[in-house]
Amino acid sequence: MTIDTDINTASEVSTFETLDEIHDRILWLSTSIIHHANRVRPNRSGLKVGGHQASCASIATIMTALWFHELRAEDRVSIKPHASPVWHAINYLFGELDEADMTSLRAFGGLQSYPSRTKDPVPADYSTGSVGIGATAPIWGSIARRYVDSTLKPIGLGRQYSLVGDAELDEGAVWEAVIDPDVKHLGEIVWIVDLNRQSLDRVIPDIAAGRIEAMFDAAGWQVITVKFGRLLDELFAQPGGAELRQRILTMSNPEYQRLLRCTAAELRERLPGEGEDAQALQDLVGSLDDATLTDAIRNLGGHDIPALLDAFARIDDSKPTAIIAYTIKGFGLPSSGHPQNHSALISDEEYGALARRSGQDTQAPWTRFDHDSAAGEIIEASAKRLARPEFPRAAESELPRDLERAHKGTSSSQAALGRVLMDLSRQSPETARRVVTVSPDVSSTTNLGGWVNKVGVWSSEAGRNWFADDAETILQWNESEQGQHMELGIAETNLVGLLGELGATWSRWGEPLFPIGVMYDPFVNRALEPWTFGMYAGGQSILVGTPSGVTLAPEGGAHQSITTPSTGMEVPGLVTYEPAFAQDVEWTLLHSITRLGRADGESAYLRLSTRAVDQSLAEVPSDPVARRRRREQVIAGGFRLRATKQPRVQLVGMGAMMTETLAAADRLEAMGIDADVVCVTSPGLLYRALRAAQGNRSPGAAGAGASTGPAAGPGAVAGPGSEWILDQVFPAERAVPMVTILDGHPHTLSFLATINKVDHVALGVSSFGQSGDIDDVYRYHGIDVDSIVRAALDASRS
């Protein structure tokens, strides 16, 4: 329904007035939530609790119009981080929170600082708080929803809203998502930009609205601008109104913000300005009483219910929409428009004045509306309209744990990835149909070509493959709604954002997916923060970093990752693997898949290499029981590859370095020095096991405290923190000096020496790399065979 603000029916006017009443209550409640946390609740530490009353006030009208008029049950909303108290206030009016909740903002176990899917008593649709990530999440949520709908079961669509502060648009990741070629087809995407022209420290000097509109328009989005409210529109129609409109539109942001702090007398002096239109403006301003004048300068569209509802009615669902809503930071509060009001808290006196103006009691602030009042009826109707159906959990099926392939010859762990996916599609199609791979334009160079050719590329709008009949085209790009591979542009933050949402479908719609993202390992750290935030929000996925390390020798230092092995083991909710052999890739990947799409699940990071490795070095047992035991050790963190009678030193290698590690062991044996060899597959799991053995377990960690192992029976696997793996791989009776070797920072494996408190030499990469062949680069970093032998000799003599 398009709202004609000149000819409103009595019913519409009544609805607008009631929504304004609800807005005023939400402003009061959200302000009170923060006020109580900072000025009423006892503060034992003396530290500021914080909150953002001005940011809440900026968007309260928009959220009122959305929740109590526009939203439907099938819609989802990402709320700007600092507006969480507004969202809590809305949930309180719906009866989903009680008074005790309202007093718990930022308290231990209480209402979260920023909306959270996993920690708030009423789960948010999207976790927000890391700037830019929450804004783009509904884009990836939209794709994930379409994917489930087209490949697994019908779940419908619904709009995906992002409530975004204008300063958040400074994040480059926002525009990487907006301009992705597939996004312009997502008509369910609606962004509402809270354009209050302020950042944390200042009023933004430039008038940026036009530039923002142009950028969205250039990306193929519909742009709807909501500048002014009813009062200003009425004044614009009066003599001098055109001049007033032009004056407001052309003045700088700081000048406009300063007018918000003026009395009526100051406005009469400042607003006309000194231009040729000053007299017309003086005449118009002179005709207004003080209250009308001060209200008019604040009458922007983002605080006007009819203007917002009119904008919502004009949304074209055939393409994404950006609604640019002009607002005032701190609207309705004493801090309105102040340049430093971002985290400012109103005083007790100001809070009392707000209570009197709102008809509220500071001693009993948590008031709801009577059910039979006009506001109560709208709230009740909205709660019923927004009630969501339960999506039943898909029936669980047995996931394969061993594909029984005999990995022979020479192979890189990267090449093994593609083969495992192909084997999985043949041997377990029910599992494979839930696998969806994602890459940033690197499918062919990361060995996914065969998989992509087999399963096809997913697209909401299928396109013709013009090279299908070209005999020289190896990678076939066949697009359809049934494809299982997605490819984005070269933007790692987009990839992991999509991974997070694909990995959350089990909790949203009861349909688990097994998302596997592939990117060059040097760029994992670039994507780490948004991927970590996705895990915090409940998204479970597998990220494959390949190729990795200085083993990518000819590419030079810029493409040689150093810190990723340790980074992977430091992220909560994540297991990191660096398999050396193809068999290890198979087992760790399959096990990682079994950990996805479940309440106690977790994500995985596989660091793979292009280094060709002789697979016979793995010495995979042929006996079924011994093979199962090896598999359990591989997925628990490592295995003993060679055990000598009288070891004088222990060589502990990982990933691509196992070739050098074993060669060094052979050299030492020829010198009469026995060396045990251990292959580490997951430093993170070994560290968890060590912490568990010391009695330290991470609270809330998936699987924490599990101690299952081979003794637990057939099919038992190691849970995170399973200390039995230490007894098998690093038994105390075989404790000898240790040399650790990896293609990454040496501190990653240094903790292993503390298991049995042995002397230790850590080899690895701690400086930027060089171009060259592998032998030269390994020698440069001291991880070649000669360096390992020297380190072992030094350690064995200690």
Side-chain angles (χ1 to χ4, degrees):
M1 176 180 68
T2 300
I3 305 296
D4 186 337
T5 56
D6 294 322
I7 309 175
N8 296 129
T9 67
S11 173
E12 287 173 337
V13 171
S14 176
T15 298
F16 301 154
E17 291 175 348
T18 303
L19 290 174
D20 281 335
E21 186 180 3
I22 294 172
H23 160 267
D24 292 345
R25 186 65 55 86
I26 288 172
L27 177 61
W28 164 255
L29 289 172
S30 61
T31 303
S32 297
I33 290 171
I34 301 169
H35 183 81
H36 187 280
N38 286 274
R39 302 198 187 277
V40 179
R41 190 171 70 215
N43 187 333
R44 290 173 296 179
S45 69
L47 297 175
K48 176 182 175 181
V49 177
H52 300 84
Q53 291 170 329
S55 293
C56 289
S58 177
I59 202 169
T61 316
I62 294 170
M63 292 180 68
T64 300
L66 263 183
W67 263 264
F68 298 101
H69 186 277
E70 191 66 18
L71 289 181
R72 299 297 179 264
E74 60 270 22
D75 299 336
R76 298 291 186 271
V77 187
S78 174
I79 304 163
K80 77 171 188 175
H82 294 154
S84 65
V86 178
W87 178 62
H88 298 317
I90 290 171
N91 286 326
Y92 179 72
L93 291 181
F94 282 148
E96 296 177 349
L97 297 175
D98 58 30
E99 289 190 10
D101 293 314
M102 302 295 273
T103 64
S104 69
L105 179 71
R106 301 189 175 205
F108 187 81
L111 299 178
Q112 295 299 294
S113 311
Y114 312 119
S116 173
R117 285 196 71 223
T118 56
K119 295 184 180 295
D120 268 313
V122 179
D125 290 335
Y126 295 98
S127 293
T128 57
S130 189
V131 178
I133 296 173
T136 60
I139 291 177
W140 318 124
S142 175
I143 294 176
R145 188 168 191 162
R146 285 182 178 229
Y147 184 86
V148 171
D149 191 76
S150 64
T151 62
L152 296 178
K153 72 177 182 185
I155 56 173
L157 287 176
R159 285 178 180 167
Q160 299 273 346
Y161 290 89
S162 288
L163 306 183
V164 186
D166 55 343
E168 195 166 8
L169 298 182
D170 290 344
E171 286 288 334
V174 166
W175 298 106
E176 287 183 346
V178 166
I179 65 174
D180 189 272
D182 286 338
V183 172
K184 66 177 179 290
H185 303 299
L186 304 177
E188 63 269 35
I189 297 295
V190 179
W191 283 24
I192 304 175
V193 179
D194 174 13
L195 191 79
N196 59 40
R197 300 167 304 283
Q198 285 187 237
S199 60
L200 191 151
D201 291 326
R202 61 174 182 159
V203 176
I204 298 171
D206 295 331
I207 301 175
R211 184 176 71 253
I212 292 171
E213 293 168 8
M215 291 170 73
F216 277 111
D217 180 70
W221 291 46
Q222 177 193 24
V223 180
I224 299 171
T225 302
V226 189
K227 290 184 178 179
F228 304 115
R230 288 163 290 177
L231 177 56
L232 274 177
D233 279 337
E234 291 171 1
L235 292 179
F236 293 158
Q238 296 181 18
E243 290 81 1
L244 175 62
R245 189 177 192 278
Q246 184 66 14
R247 171 84 168 104
I248 293 175
L249 287 175
T250 56
M251 70 173 58
S252 70
N253 286 336
E255 182 181 7
Y256 176 78
Q257 295 291 110
R258 182 63 185 89
L259 293 181
L260 298 175
R261 310 288 298 169
C262 290
T263 64
E266 290 171 325
L267 282 173
R268 295 183 196 283
E269 179 182 349
R270 289 172 178 257
L271 185 56
E274 299 177 352
E276 59 184 19
D277 296 329
Q279 187 59 53
L281 286 170
Q282 284 180 349
D283 293 342
L284 176 59
V285 168
S287 69
L288 304 177
D289 60 62
D290 288 354
T292 301
L293 179 57
T294 55
D295 285 347
I297 200 65
R298 293 168 171 79
N299 188 227
L300 299 183
H303 301 300
D304 190 85
I305 294 289
L308 289 168
L309 298 188
D310 176 64
F312 298 157
R314 290 190 281 131
I315 294 173
D316 177 0
D317 287 321
S318 68
K319 55 184 175 180
T321 299
I323 297 175
I324 314 297
Y326 281 59
T327 61
I328 297 170
K329 198 163 186 174
F331 180 77
L333 299 179
S335 60
S336 175
H338 193 282
Q340 279 85 49
N341 67 7
H342 178 78
S343 56
L345 301 171
I346 62 175
S347 66
D348 287 332
E349 293 75 17
E350 291 170 330
Y351 183 63
L354 178 65
R356 291 188 292 274
R357 191 165 66 249
S358 305
Q360 300 298 311
D361 183 353
T362 60
Q363 300 305 307
W366 317 118
T367 56
R368 295 187 175 99
F369 291 98
D370 292 335
H371 291 291
D372 57 356
S373 66
E377 290 175 355
I378 285 181
I379 291 169
E380 183 176 357
S382 297
K384 291 179 179 178
R385 184 182 72 249
L386 296 175
R388 292 174 178 170
E390 291 288 334
F391 288 95
R393 168 88 179 179
E396 292 190 15
S397 58
E398 185 66 25
L399 301 180
R401 300 175 186 274
D402 192 331
L403 300 177
E404 305 293 341
R405 171 190 274 270
H407 297 276
K408 299 179 179 179
T410 60
S411 173
S412 69
S413 55
Q414 176 181 291
L417 171 69
R419 288 198 301 273
V420 171
L421 290 175
M422 292 296 289
D423 288 347
L424 183 66
S425 67
R426 288 188 288 264
Q427 297 186 32
S428 183
E430 282 300 304
T431 302
R433 79 185 184 95
R434 293 185 181 273
V435 172
V436 53
T437 54
V438 186
S439 71
D441 198 31
V442 293
S443 300
S444 56
T445 55
T446 53
N447 289 90
L448 287 183
W451 165 260
V452 173
N453 288 344
K454 180 176 177 59
V455 302
V457 177
W458 184 87
S459 175
S460 59
E461 294 194 3
R464 180 176 175 180
N465 180 4
W466 290 98
F467 292 88
D469 58 349
D470 187 336
E472 295 183 5
T473 299
I474 298 175
L475 182 64
Q476 294 298 329
W477 210 252
N478 298 312
E479 297 179 343
S480 74
E481 287 190 333
Q482 285 71 49
Q484 291 180 242
H485 177 75
M486 297 183 185
E487 190 142 314
L488 304 175
I490 304 177
E492 287 78 13
T493 54
N494 287 354
L495 182 141
V496 295
L498 178 55
L499 274 186
E501 289 305 318
L502 291 169
T505 59
W506 66 276
S507 59
R508 293 192 190 279
W509 304 295
E511 292 290 339
L513 293 174
F514 307 139
I516 302 174
V518 179
M519 69 173 63
Y520 290 166
D521 196 67
F523 308 138
V524 166
N525 281 337
R526 183 186 300 175
L528 186 63
E529 194 261 342
W531 188 42
T532 302
F533 197 82
M535 286 183 264
Y536 164 80
Q540 299 164 4
S541 59
I542 298 170
L543 183 63
V544 178
T546 183
S548 65
V550 300
T551 298
L552 191 62
E555 294 287 343
H559 279 67
Q560 296 171 0
S561 53
I562 298 172
T563 63
T564 46
S566 57
T567 300
M569 65 186 287
E570 293 160 3
V571 176
L574 177 67
V575 171
T576 177
Y577 286 110
E578 186 163 345
F581 305 107
Q583 184 62 74
D584 301 346
V585 174
E586 176 189 316
W587 285 335
T588 56
L589 181 63
L590 294 178
H591 177 68
S592 297
I593 288 174
T594 70
R595 302 293 301 154
L596 301 178
R598 45 194 290 177
D600 64 343
E602 58 189 339
S603 297
Y605 160 49
L606 273 64
R607 189 174 188 254
L608 305 184
S609 172
T610 50
R611 172 85 183 279
V613 174
D614 180 359
Q615 297 303 303
S616 68
L617 297 176
E619 299 180 8
V620 178
S622 57
D623 178 79
V625 174
R627 179 183 176 92
R628 187 172 68 244
R629 175 174 173 170
R630 167 68 71 84
R631 174 190 159 272
E632 289 162 345
Q633 292 176 337
V634 165
I635 64 176
F639 57 95
R640 183 171 295 277
L641 190 52
R642 290 188 187 177
T644 58
K645 291 184 179 181
Q646 296 275 319
R648 290 174 53 189
V649 67
Q650 185 177 55
L651 304 183
V652 181
M654 187 168 74
M657 298 310 305
M658 286 310 300
T659 297
E660 277 66 32
T661 302
L662 289 166
D666 291 340
R667 287 260 299 274
L668 290 167
E669 182 182 17
M671 298 165 63
I673 298 174
D674 286 346
D676 282 359
V677 177
V678 169
C679 178
V680 170
T681 55
S682 174
L685 287 181
L686 294 179
Y687 182 73
R688 289 191 201 179
L690 177 59
R691 294 281 290 172
Q694 295 169 340
N696 299 303
R697 300 180 188 276
S698 299
S707 58
T708 57
V717 297
S722 303
E723 51 265 43
W724 64 263
I725 187 64
L726 302 182
D727 295 332
Q728 293 195 3
V729 181
F730 301 102
E733 64 271 15
R734 298 186 67 85
V736 291
M738 176 185 294
V739 178
T740 55
I741 313 102
L742 76 154
D743 186 358
H745 200 283
H747 80 78
T748 306
L749 299 179
S750 293
F751 73 93
L752 295 174
T754 68
I755 297 172
N756 293 312
K757 298 179 175 57
V758 298
D759 291 330
H760 173 228
V761 178
L763 302 181
V765 180
S766 55
S767 61
F768 290 115
Q770 300 284 341
S771 296
D773 61 31
I774 284 181
D775 290 341
D776 290 337
V777 172
Y778 280 6
R779 190 177 305 109
Y780 173 78
H781 289 287
I783 54 175
D784 59 315
V785 175
D786 287 349
S787 297
I788 298 171
V789 170
R790 279 195 297 270
L793 291 173
D794 291 340
S796 64
R797 296 191 186 105
S798 60

